[in-house]
Structures are given as structure tokens and as C-alpha cells.
Amino acid sequence: MDTIWILLATFLVFFMQAGFAMVEVGFTRAKNTVNILMKNIMDFSFGVLVFFFLGYGLMFGTDIGGFIGKDGFLLSIIDPANTSNFSLWIFQAVFAATAATIVSGAMAERTKFRSYLVYTIFITALVYPVAGHWIWGGGWLSSLGIIDFAGSTVVHSVGGWAALAGALILGPRYGKYGPGGTSKAIPGHNISLAALGVFILWFGWFGFNCGSTLSGSSQALSTVAVTTTLAAASGAVSSMFFVWIRYKKPDASMTLNGALAGLVAITAGCAVVSPISAILIGLIAGIICPVFVDLFDKKFKIDDPVGAISVHGISGAFGTLAVGLFAEPQYSAIGGYGETAGLFFGGGINLFVTQLIGVISVFAWAFGAMVLIFLAIKKTIGLRVSRETELKGLDIEEHAMEAYSGFQIFNNE
């Protein structure tokens, strides 16, 4: 039963790749659609292969000093007679691919396809597995008692911080900022696809969070489903009202990202917080997300076409910290963490400090490592397409085809 449940959850998480693809396609311009679809299919394909050969062993192999695993490459530590171990591998493999695909949106419309493939290899072979080992593989953060149930930090923040590194080094799209540094909106071409993508992601998130119980009979299963749903819904609601009040209109793109922010934020604590706390976490995440979208765009001049840094990096960090505030003993016990309590429920400051150490450490590792990797790619094979390619669209120049054949989508903006 547990094997069947893990496999079903795995298939749901795999389907999230379609959600990420639709969100990114919808929030960007039509002339780059084929490129985005290719990135999303290939970061999964390359990612699971690299995770098989190297990443899984570094993440779950025998621990070396609390920092990295040393064996288990090519699934060598798995007994073929114990098929449940294979289900655990594929569950972790789709998580690795999720971390990789988060970056695609922040670097959309201007990244060389071959360079993106090289990045995918590095994040799934090294950057994600090392952070995962620290928290899920018996590493040093695990020994401190950090709680990241389904990966607000391990998966989403790692992807978000890699996205931040990539967007910084890549630079903004042509036409994004005026001569005085004024930000100009570059609207996505299909909000319908973006909305479909969010619905797919929300659906897949039940596999992401509920599947992390690793048991179809876990007492935490229903709790996780409820907290996941409530956080997503409250994130969408708070984001909509915040943007409505601030800009006088209920913006659809910000509302969609608000739902995703709620999902990312609850992922760390979905098994250890109450439904009421889940609503509060989602409400806060839904406000934090548009605030940071504006901050990165207008203050720091970091061009993130889909808001991936705010949705995954910032919301993931917030959700991880929120565990240190909202964890409740009765839920933590059911979730497998003993009677652990956060600051607001009599547990003192210790858990919050542990969560903070985890957030800072993973940021330093993921962001620092990806800055070096992106710089190396930039200096060798190049990271960014030419101005001509960007203006024409990556579909024609990089892939020699169009997503919408017969429609005139070429422009110089």
C-alpha cells in the first residue's frame, strides 16, 4: 500500500512539470513558447538521469561529516528485491527535477538553450543533492532538528536562489527598463495558460506534500491535505486583495502567484501546523510575494518574468521560518517530529533559530554555488543569446520552429 501511494504521489509531482511549463508559457511572450516547452521537458529528462548517476548518492548515500553522501550512485545501494526502495528513488527524482525547472521562468526569453542544459546538470548533480543531504539525508541540519517536511527550503528555496543567481548574471530582457531605470511591464501572451498551469500545480502539490508522508496509512495524510489546501486558498485571497487595494485592480497574475506562494510556504510545515495556522501562513505569503516581486523588479532591477524568485525563494524561506513559529506539539507528533512546538505554542526560540540557520545556510550554498556555475557557463559557452535572437524570439533562432504556426508574432520589443 505504501509503495502504491508513493508511486501515485510521484505521478502527481511529475504532472507538475506540465504546470510549470504552462505558467511560464503564459507569463511570457508567444515568440519564446517552443523554447520554454523544450526547457521544461529537457530539464526533467536530463535531471532524472543525472540524479540517477550521481545526485541520489550524494543526497542519500552514507554520510560524510554531515555534508554529503558517498555511495549509492546508479542505485547501487538498493536491493532489487526490495521494490519499495525504487519507489522512494523515483519520488526523490521528480523532486530534483522540480528544483531544476523553477529556474527556467526567472531566466526566460534570453538564455541559450545549451547553457540551460548545462545548468540543469549541475543543479541536479550537485547543488540540490548537497542541500537535500543536509536536511533529508542525515546531514548536519538534520541533526540540529530542522523541520522541512516536503521541501520549502530543500526544493523551492534551492530553485529560487538558483533563479536569483541566474537572473542577476543574465541581466534583464531588452526593453525591460527605460533609460532612467523605470521598469516597463512586458505582459505574458496567454493568462489562460498561466491559470491552467497554476491549477495543475495546485493539483500536483497534493502529491508533493501528502506524498512526503511516504505512507498511504499515515495519520498525517489528511492533515497535510487540509493545510495545503487552506494555505493555497488564503495565499490567493490575500494576494488578490493586497494588489487590489494597492493598484486599484485585482490583478490575475499576482493572484495566481499568490496561490503558488501559499503552497510553497506551507510545504515545510504542512504536517506540523494546524489548519488555522496554515491559513495565517498562506495569508502572509500571499502578501509577501507581490511585495518582493515589486522589490526585485523596481528596486533591484532584477528581471524575473514569472516571479519565480519571490514565489519559490522568498516564500520558501518564509515557510521554513514559519515552522519555528507555528509548529504545534499534537500535529508534530503525528507528523513524525515528536512533540515539537514553535515559538507561538510554547516551544521557545530554539526551533526558530534552527530553521533560520537552515534558511541562511541553504541560501549561502545554493546562491553561492550557482553564481559560480553561471559565471563559468558565461565565460565558456556563453549564457545569453544575442540581441537579434532575443528580439526575433528564441523559437525561431534556437529551435527553427514556431509554437503558433501561421500567426505573425515577430516584433522588436
Side-chain angles (χ1 to χ4, degrees):
M1 180 177 178
D2 290 346
T3 297
I4 292 171
W5 168 241
I6 292 170
L7 288 176
L8 287 173
T10 298
F11 305 151
L12 285 172
V13 178
F14 168 72
F15 191 45
M16 291 173 73
Q17 287 289 133
F20 281 114
M22 293 301 98
V23 168
E24 187 179 348
V25 165
F27 281 159
T28 54
R29 290 169 289 184
K31 62 184 179 179
N32 299 303
T33 298
V34 173
N35 176 258
I36 289 165
L37 296 175
M38 282 292 291
K39 287 192 299 179
N40 276 270
I41 186 66
M42 295 315 300
D43 61 26
F44 181 86
S45 300
F46 272 84
V48 295
L49 289 171
V50 171
F51 196 68
F52 170 80
F53 285 110
L54 184 61
Y56 184 79
L58 295 179
M59 189 165 175
F60 292 105
T62 305
D63 178 63
I64 302 177
F67 286 94
I68 202 168
K70 69 176 182 179
D71 52 23
F73 310 111
L74 285 75
L75 301 186
S76 59
I77 59 174
I78 291 183
D79 180 3
N82 188 351
T83 56
S84 63
N85 287 329
F86 283 102
S87 65
L88 290 172
W89 175 82
I90 196 168
F91 185 66
Q92 292 299 332
V94 293
F95 272 52
T98 298
T101 204
I102 288 168
V103 182
S104 176
M107 300 176 67
E109 303 197 297
R110 59 215 195 271
T111 305
K112 288 183 177 180
F113 181 66
R114 63 178 181 177
S115 302
Y116 183 80
L117 297 180
V118 172
Y119 139 79
T120 297
I121 292 170
F122 277 102
I123 193 170
T124 50
L126 180 64
V127 179
Y128 169 78
V130 169
H133 182 80
W134 292 355
I135 296 176
W136 288 347
W140 69 279
L141 286 173
S142 175
S143 65
L144 290 180
I146 191 172
I147 297 176
D148 187 9
F149 184 76
S152 285
T153 284
V154 173
V155 179
H156 294 283
S157 281
V158 166
W161 304 142
L164 175 60
L168 272 172
I169 294 168
L170 197 58
R173 291 167 290 176
Y174 288 112
K176 174 61 181 172
Y177 297 102
T182 304
S183 175
K184 298 179 181 179
I186 301 178
H189 84 280
N190 197 325
I191 297 301
S192 299
L193 287 179
L196 175 62
V198 170
F199 279 118
I200 291 172
L201 288 171
W202 193 331
F203 178 64
W205 229 286
F206 292 118
F208 209 96
N209 287 1
C210 297
S212 293
T213 61
L214 303 181
S215 172
S217 59
S218 170
Q219 288 181 292
L221 197 55
S222 296
T223 302
V224 172
V226 169
T227 55
T228 299
T229 303
L230 292 174
S234 59
V237 169
S238 67
S239 188
M240 181 193 72
F241 278 114
F242 177 80
V243 174
W244 200 343
I245 292 168
R246 188 171 184 179
Y247 299 111
K248 313 305 178 187
K249 296 290 182 181
D251 182 84
S253 60
M254 287 293 192
T255 301
L256 294 170
N257 270 343
L260 296 180
L263 287 164
V264 171
I266 198 60
T267 296
C270 55
V272 300
V273 302
S274 71
I276 293 294
S277 294
I279 292 174
L280 292 174
I281 290 169
L283 287 172
I284 297 169
I287 294 172
I288 288 175
C289 181
V291 168
F292 274 89
V293 166
D294 275 356
L295 192 64
F296 284 124
D297 181 26
K298 297 174 182 177
K299 179 68 173 178
F300 299 120
K301 304 295 187 291
I302 298 173
D303 184 14
D304 179 359
V306 305
I309 302 166
S310 301
V311 169
H312 298 279
I314 300 299
S315 298
F318 162 70
T320 305
L321 295 175
V323 174
L325 303 175
F326 293 100
E328 297 186 38
Q330 61 270 39
Y331 291 98
S332 298
I334 295 172
Y337 292 98
E339 296 189 353
T340 303
L343 179 62
F344 295 161
F345 293 91
I349 196 70
N350 289 342
L351 179 59
F352 182 82
V353 171
T354 298
Q355 301 295 109
L356 180 61
I357 291 171
V359 167
I360 294 172
S361 301
V362 171
F363 169 78
W365 162 248
F367 179 75
M370 288 313 308
V371 164
L372 294 176
I373 290 167
F374 282 128
L375 284 175
I377 294 172
K378 183 178 180 179
K379 294 294 184 181
T380 52
I381 62 174
L383 187 61
R384 183 167 184 152
V385 298
S386 68
R387 178 185 176 89
E388 180 184 6
T389 296
E390 184 176 335
L391 294 178
K392 282 186 178 180
L394 276 65
D395 290 0
I396 295 173
E397 294 292 302
E398 289 268 279
H399 305 282
M401 64 170 54
E402 298 174 279
Y404 305 97
S405 181
F407 288 84
Q408 179 64 34
I409 60 174
F410 172 76
N411 63 71
N412 289 319
E413 297 178 359

